[in-house]
Amino acid sequence: MRFTRLQLGVAIAIPYTTQAAQAPLRIPPHSDVDSSILDLRTLWDDLSIRPHANATGNFLFGGVNSLLLHWPNTRYRNGHNIVPGTIPVGTLLYHGRADANMPTMPDWTATDPEHSYHFCGEANWKDRPDAKGCWHLTIVATRPLRVLYLDGSSAANMKDGTLDAQDLLLWGKVDPSRWLDERTRIDNFCAWGRDYGIDGYLRMEMDFEVMLCDFKNGVELVSADYIAAWRARYITPPWGPPRPPDQDLRHCLSSENGTRSLEQHLLRFEMVRAGSWHNHYPGETRVVLDLAHLVSFYDLTLVPSLVAHRAGKARWDHRLQNISASDLVAVNARLKTALTSHSTEIGSGVDWRTLFRVLVDRYADRLEMLEYLLNTTTPANAHERATVIQRQLRVILTPYILYSARPLSDASTSDAWATPVWRACATRHTSHIHMQAATLTTSERLLLSALDETNREICRVVVRMWAAGVHAGLDALLLPHKVEDDSKLSAVVRGWRTDASALMAWLDWSVWVKCRPACGFEEMCYLPTWPYFWETLEDAEDENGEWKRPQPRCIRQLEPYSRL
Ligand SMILES: *[C@@H]1O[C@H](CO)[C@@H](O)[C@H](O)[C@H]1NC(C)=O
Ligand SMILES: *[C@@H]1O[C@H](CO)[C@@H](O)[C@H](O)[C@H]1NC(C)=O
Ligand SMILES: *[C@@H]1O[C@H](CO)[C@@H](O)[C@H](O)[C@H]1NC(C)=O
Ligand SMILES: *[C@@H]1O[C@H](CO)[C@@H](O)[C@H](O)[C@H]1NC(C)=O
């Protein structure tokens, strides 16, 4: 949304320039990807081989699994995925404005009225400071609306990567000076998508929004209401002299004397609350995604040029700005193919979102429990704990532990006997999909490889941990014996800790990011959200600032409100 101008209640001049359309595209030959990254995934004989350092299966898995979820996309703001989707008939969208009219040009709509209410009345009050209410429009989809979803905090106006994907698609490069160029962005997007019948663009900030291209096509006005409004704007009128578009938003966020009324706190919190309804799976359900036509910047065969720029960087710092020209051409071509082939090339019919979710359901709690058990294992309770942990490891692998899977002898230390368990664990969910590979779209093949790579690593580590326990005599069903030797036992526990923490760090699932201890009834768990984190920041460039690496904390749902 034009948060900068409307939401913040500050007159920022947004230049209305027009931008030349995209240059014609050609599909380049493409084989720069380091094949060792892909080859590693086909070997099954060595449980000690970790995923390739430059592989992206974990990022793809995490990204796909986070689509439409507010929490993980608030945590990792720099989106890497573009997915076509549909908004079903009957879905309501909301729009706050200065009058009762439907917009005549592309404009922003909110999926929740708590969000659009913020924009309601701003212009009224600007021109008529004595106005008591404001205009709030409810709009309905009268046919399925075709949208393109950009993941991450893609509606957050920042110079740090949230807009990379959009600006590459629209303008062919990331230009930090255009971070507030929202009017051009929406106009260019709508012009760009016209050929593909795209009605709008789904983005996310404090909540989800739809940039709607044509209010006369596919939507109807349900109601234009002049509603009573909190006079919750800034205590001193915000519409001072226009500010240059590049001015740091931080200054715009503070009211003039740095205080905020109760109503201001309430409005902000209620918007955050509405966003939080979509925090966790299944997230924002009013948009149905077509994953069979997803395009990802983590696709190694499509975008090999970003490998070098990601190397050694944490997920927070992944950017798209240094993509090569030829990779960008390839991404554009892939996206155009995805958008034109959606009705002819429908794919396998696999419900990818659910399939990805099955893995998270099966392993998230169990791995977290293992971490807890290992965290609380001490020399004093190690004997008892080790047996419990070993039993949990076996439980996780139960469907894959054939009766024949057992070490050849008590004396052997090789875990080669356990590799069939690994392979079974890692391939059961998808072997039937591999048999129908011809029905898969290009995007589905990418999803399949991300799923396989992730599943493979989970199974590798869990099998390795379980086999180590078997060798140590901890498994009740195989070679059990009383472990007398404390140093041997502590070596097993140490190995387990190393393996489990490396796996969880590699997976880095956002379901594990939670408030500990859990929040009280009057509170909710919150991740620092754009743009609020700028407000109290001493130094926006601070590398260690909480806004760079958002960590969860409890905030109050009622007055007295917490700092956001
Ligand atoms: C800030 O401004 C409001 C409204 O003018 C006033 O009520 C409040 O006392 C001021 N606060 C400070 C700290 O000056
Ligand atoms: C990962 O990519 C970087 C940059 O291209 C390269 O320097 C590094 O050697 C790669 N890592 C491995 C394990 O191949
Ligand atoms: C990446 O892009 C940024 C912005 O365009 C530029 O300043 C930087 O030098 C580039 N880095 C590399 C390694 O090319
Ligand atoms: C285990 O300990 C680590 C490090 O202190 C901590 O970050 C993590 O939350 C703990 N996990 C559980 C489940 O207790």
Side-chain angles (χ1 to χ4, degrees):
M1 294 224 177
R2 284 174 296 172
F3 188 96
T4 51
R5 198 152 61 96
L6 299 175
Q7 177 69 43
L8 305 181
V10 174
I12 295 173
I14 295 178
Y16 282 63
T17 55
T18 50
Q19 201 73 20
Q22 290 278 291
L25 299 166
R26 69 200 150 74
I27 300 177
H30 227 275
S31 56
D32 306 344
V33 63
D34 174 359
S35 63
S36 70
I37 301 180
L38 308 176
D39 292 348
L40 260 191
R41 303 189 296 215
T42 56
L43 305 173
W44 295 103
D45 51 7
D46 187 346
L47 279 165
S48 69
I49 297 182
R50 300 157 61 87
H52 195 285
N54 292 330
T56 52
N58 52 338
F59 299 128
L60 273 161
F61 186 92
V64 169
N65 206 48
S66 302
L67 296 171
L68 301 177
L69 312 188
H70 199 267
W71 186 259
N73 286 296
T74 303
R75 181 168 175 240
Y76 289 136
R77 291 185 291 259
N78 297 350
H80 279 63
N81 302 295
I82 305 170
V83 198
T86 308
I87 297 179
V89 172
T91 306
L92 298 183
L93 296 168
Y94 304 92
H95 181 71
R97 60 186 286 113
D99 55 49
N101 303 322
M102 285 281 258
T104 53
M105 58 168 118
D107 214 323
W108 291 262
T109 64
T111 50
D112 290 309
E114 287 78 1
H115 190 181
S116 49
Y117 183 55
H118 245 259
F119 298 82
C120 170
E122 176 67 31
N124 273 1
W125 294 333
K126 180 175 185 313
D127 301 332
R128 282 164 287 159
D130 298 329
K132 295 285 186 290
C134 67
W135 289 102
H136 192 245
L137 272 51
T138 303
I139 296 160
V140 66
T142 52
R143 60 165 169 78
L145 298 177
R146 214 159 124 63
V147 294
L148 197 60
Y149 169 46
L150 296 118
D151 74 347
S153 292
S154 48
N157 289 103
M158 296 178 71
K159 300 176 192 171
D160 309 89
T162 54
L163 301 165
D164 283 4
Q166 300 164 64
D167 293 357
L168 287 174
L169 290 185
L170 293 176
W171 304 332
K173 66 172 181 170
V174 173
D175 178 354
S177 73
R178 300 185 70 177
W179 69 309
L180 293 176
D181 206 352
E182 285 289 79
R183 184 71 244 172
T184 317
R185 224 168 249 126
I186 194 173
D187 288 343
N188 288 177
F189 247 144
C190 289
W192 177 91
R194 211 167 286 139
D195 289 347
Y196 312 109
I198 295 177
D199 298 302
Y201 296 83
L202 178 72
R203 302 195 305 180
M204 195 196 94
E205 47 181 344
M206 299 75 73
D207 197 353
F208 286 89
E209 68 167 33
V210 178
M211 298 156 98
L212 204 54
C213 293
D214 185 353
F215 286 73
K216 289 191 290 297
N217 188 349
V219 294
E220 271 172 22
L221 183 66
V222 172
S223 179
D225 303 308
Y226 191 66
I227 59 176
W230 298 102
R231 286 309 304 251
R233 288 292 149 190
Y234 297 81
I235 294 163
T236 45
W239 39 90
R243 295 167 194 257
D246 197 32
Q247 179 158 353
D248 197 310
L249 273 177
R250 278 179 299 156
H251 303 298
C252 315
L253 281 159
S254 310
S255 53
E256 303 241 326
N257 68 2
T259 58
R260 208 162 280 292
S261 67
L262 172 63
E263 291 80 6
Q264 288 169 345
H265 281 293
L266 179 139
L267 272 186
R268 290 169 155 224
F269 175 77
E270 289 305 326
M271 187 156 55
V272 164
R273 185 209 297 276
S276 80
W277 296 331
H278 319 299
N279 267 350
H280 307 295
Y281 189 84
E284 177 48 87
T285 53
R286 285 165 290 189
V287 180
V288 182
L289 295 182
D290 172 14
L291 288 185
H293 294 95
L294 163 146
V295 176
S296 179
F297 287 90
Y298 279 128
D299 182 341
L300 287 173
T301 49
L302 184 67
V303 192
S305 62
L306 286 176
V307 170
H309 296 286
R310 276 192 302 261
K313 291 207 177 81
R315 172 67 183 85
W316 326 91
D317 303 320
H318 292 181
R319 297 282 311 262
L320 312 180
Q321 60 180 352
N322 295 108
I323 189 172
S324 72
S326 63
D327 285 3
L328 183 55
V329 169
V331 168
N332 274 302
R334 177 70 62 80
L335 187 58
K336 291 183 183 212
T337 307
L339 292 174
T340 47
S341 68
H342 68 104
S343 51
T344 50
E345 196 203 24
I346 55 170
S348 63
V350 168
D351 180 350
W352 293 99
R353 200 161 188 236
T354 298
L355 193 52
F356 274 57
R357 191 68 208 176
V358 165
L359 284 202
V360 177
D361 285 346
R362 284 217 66 216
Y363 296 115
D365 293 352
R366 293 193 186 286
L367 292 176
E368 198 177 31
M369 178 60 84
L370 277 180
E371 183 188 46
Y372 165 81
L373 290 170
L374 289 163
N375 273 2
T376 52
T377 301
T378 61
N381 69 7
H383 282 271
E384 170 220 339
R385 267 290 153 85
T387 321
V388 174
I389 292 170
Q390 180 68 15
R391 208 181 340 267
Q392 290 301 310
L393 290 165
R394 172 179 271 283
V395 164
I396 297 175
L397 297 170
T398 298
Y400 316 112
I401 302 179
L402 297 181
Y403 184 77
S404 57
R406 51 188 62 224
L408 296 175
S409 73
D410 282 21
S412 163
T413 55
S414 161
D415 55 18
W417 61 271
T419 56
V421 183
W422 175 27
R423 189 167 190 164
C425 171
T427 58
R428 283 289 185 272
H429 288 279
T430 55
S431 57
H432 69 288
I433 301 177
H434 283 275
M435 313 258 282
Q436 304 161 27
T439 66
L440 300 181
T441 63
T442 311
S443 306
E444 286 186 294
R445 282 195 288 278
L446 177 70
L447 297 174
L448 180 59
S449 72
L451 189 68
D452 280 342
E453 200 174 312
T454 303
N455 198 11
R456 173 187 166 87
E457 178 60 1
I458 295 169
C459 294
R460 181 187 74 82
V461 174
V462 177
V463 170
R464 191 171 128 96
M465 291 171 72
W466 170 70
V470 170
H471 286 289
L474 293 165
D475 198 276
L477 296 187
L478 294 174
L479 312 175
H481 58 81
K482 195 159 163 41
V483 186
E484 307 288 357
D485 184 345
D486 281 354
S487 72
K488 194 170 162 193
L489 186 66
S490 70
V492 171
V493 171
R494 243 190 344 266
W496 278 347
R497 279 202 184 112
T498 308
D499 279 349
S501 65
L503 173 61
M504 290 179 75
W506 187 82
L507 294 170
D508 188 26
W509 287 346
S510 291
V511 287
W512 292 322
V513 176
K514 40 179 121 159
C515 290
R516 289 202 175 100
C519 304
F521 200 83
E522 293 188 9
E523 299 174 321
M524 69 174 227
C525 191
Y526 171 76
L527 280 176
T529 300
W530 178 89
Y532 306 126
F533 49 69
W534 269 330
E535 192 171 25
T536 45
L537 215 62
E538 290 290 309
D539 178 5
E541 305 306 323
D542 176 8
E543 281 296 317
N544 303 314
E546 67 158 15
W547 69 280
K548 279 247 164 169
R549 283 141 174 66
Q551 300 300 324
R553 58 182 162 87
C554 298
I555 58 168
R556 286 186 48 77
Q557 301 196 32
L558 306 162
E559 59 260 44
Y561 287 100
S562 314
R563 174 176 72 81
L564 288 182

